Amino acid sequence: MQDNRYIGGELSSRIMTDTRNTWLELKKICEILEKSGCVTNECCSNHINIDIANCYQDNYFIETLAKLIAVYEKEISLFYMGDKYLYRSTRAEYARSMKFSLLSKIRNIDFKSDIDDLYYNIKYSGTPTFLLKDGINLQKINETKRMEIRYPNGTISPKTIQNNINFSLKLVDAIIDSKFDLSILDRKIDEEISKEDFIYGLIFDEVNPDKLEELIDIISTNPEDKKDFTKQYKKIMLTRS
């Protein structure tokens, strides 16, 4: 606390469901925060926890999730910037990128193996991934049955929070509904790995808007989804210096 003002803080919501009252509650919280003078900066984030109890032991789900991050992580991270183009200063410490680590080991992971062995290999073989401070946290999945998405930047905009939650839920649903062709993801992974400048490219390559639009097309279930998701990422691109 400084000069009767709180500097820094964390809010944790109760478990919420996709109902009108939930969204109104989130909107009210954002309005209260804004009226209280709350602001977010480059250190802030909005973590999203999703109940995946019905699919966390599904090999296809884990394989598709891993391959999606290996292919689309930069574009997903761009979307989760939310309000404007802003690379969060604490991301390398609290929402680590997994793309390079996954591409480096993904061909050595047996995705048809026993689910416990699969989780162990995907998390701890090679460079560890899907742990507590990675972009997606599955470290205690057996206990929590929840997937924590740590990519999103902080915001008190109710529409941005709604978009981020909806995008996350639609991504999970799209995997459950087998909307992703694993052979296409495998081909894209092979293309990434085969690049002569593989390591350099992963560090310095540009976000590909076409890939993000492709992902949005796959996960959207109605025109409103597509409009909202597209509007958010285009707003972010317009604020990029």
Side-chain angles (χ1 to χ4, degrees):
M1 191 167 182
Q2 180 178 321
D3 299 327
N4 294 319
R5 291 176 62 85
Y6 286 98
I7 308 299
E10 179 176 345
L11 291 176
S12 178
S13 77
R14 62 180 177 81
I15 295 174
M16 294 182 165
T17 55
D18 186 15
T19 64
R20 176 176 171 79
N21 285 340
T22 288
W23 294 115
L24 290 175
E25 183 177 334
L26 280 172
K27 184 174 184 290
K28 185 175 181 180
I29 291 169
C30 290
E31 290 171 347
I32 291 171
L33 290 171
E34 186 175 9
K35 288 178 181 177
S36 300
C38 174
V39 294
T40 58
N41 60 20
E42 72 281 356
C43 297
C44 297
S45 61
N46 281 146
H47 296 172
I48 299 168
N49 285 272
I50 300 175
D51 180 359
I52 57 170
N54 63 334
C55 59
Y56 82 102
Q57 291 191 310
D58 182 352
N59 290 59
Y60 169 83
F61 180 87
I62 302 306
E63 179 178 5
T64 308
L65 177 63
K67 291 180 176 179
L68 278 174
I69 299 303
V71 172
Y72 293 104
E73 186 184 47
K74 286 203 168 186
E75 288 70 34
I76 289 171
S77 296
L78 175 81
F79 178 85
Y80 281 131
M81 286 183 179
D83 297 325
K84 61 184 177 181
Y85 189 89
L86 175 66
Y87 190 89
R88 194 159 83 244
S89 62
T90 56
R91 186 184 154 189
E93 183 178 0
Y94 293 108
R96 292 178 300 226
S97 172
M98 299 185 289
K99 183 180 176 97
F100 174 72
S101 299
L102 284 169
L103 287 174
S104 297
K105 67 181 182 180
I106 205 159
R107 288 300 179 229
N108 297 318
I109 296 173
D110 179 6
F111 287 101
K112 301 294 189 291
S113 62
D114 174 82
I115 192 67
D116 290 331
D117 291 338
L118 174 55
Y119 269 116
Y120 182 85
N121 288 327
I122 201 170
K123 289 192 282 189
Y124 299 110
S125 67
T127 305
T129 51
F130 290 104
L131 300 185
L132 177 61
K133 294 186 178 180
D134 288 319
I136 293 180
N137 169 26
L138 299 174
Q139 184 162 324
K140 294 185 177 181
I141 186 65
N142 286 327
E143 292 92 340
T144 67
K145 312 294 189 296
R146 293 197 297 269
M147 176 174 79
E148 181 186 31
I149 300 176
R150 301 171 64 92
Y151 294 115
N153 283 355
T155 180
I156 56 171
S157 163
K159 184 60 180 178
T160 302
I161 293 173
Q162 182 183 36
N163 277 341
N164 288 344
I165 294 172
N166 192 32
F167 184 90
S168 303
L169 292 173
K170 292 298 170 70
L171 188 66
V172 169
D173 285 344
I175 299 175
I176 293 172
D177 293 338
S178 302
K179 289 187 176 181
F180 294 99
D181 187 327
L182 285 175
S183 65
I184 293 176
L185 290 177
D186 284 333
R187 189 188 72 236
K188 291 179 182 292
I189 287 170
D190 287 340
E191 290 171 355
E192 292 276 7
I193 294 174
S194 66
K195 292 177 182 176
E196 291 184 8
D197 58 348
F198 172 56
I199 296 177
Y200 179 89
L202 286 178
I203 298 172
F204 297 105
D205 66 338
E206 288 290 315
V207 170
N208 185 339
D210 290 340
K211 285 175 67 177
L212 184 50
E213 290 189 5
E214 176 182 84
L215 184 61
I216 288 172
D217 280 340
I218 294 171
I219 70 172
S220 297
T221 57
N222 56 64
E224 195 68 23
D225 285 343
K226 186 172 181 179
K227 183 181 76 172
D228 287 343
F229 297 158
T230 302
K231 183 177 179 180
Q232 178 157 310
Y233 103 77
K234 286 188 174 180
K235 175 180 64 176
I236 294 164
M237 294 299 289
L238 285 173
T239 60
R240 189 176 187 181
S241 58

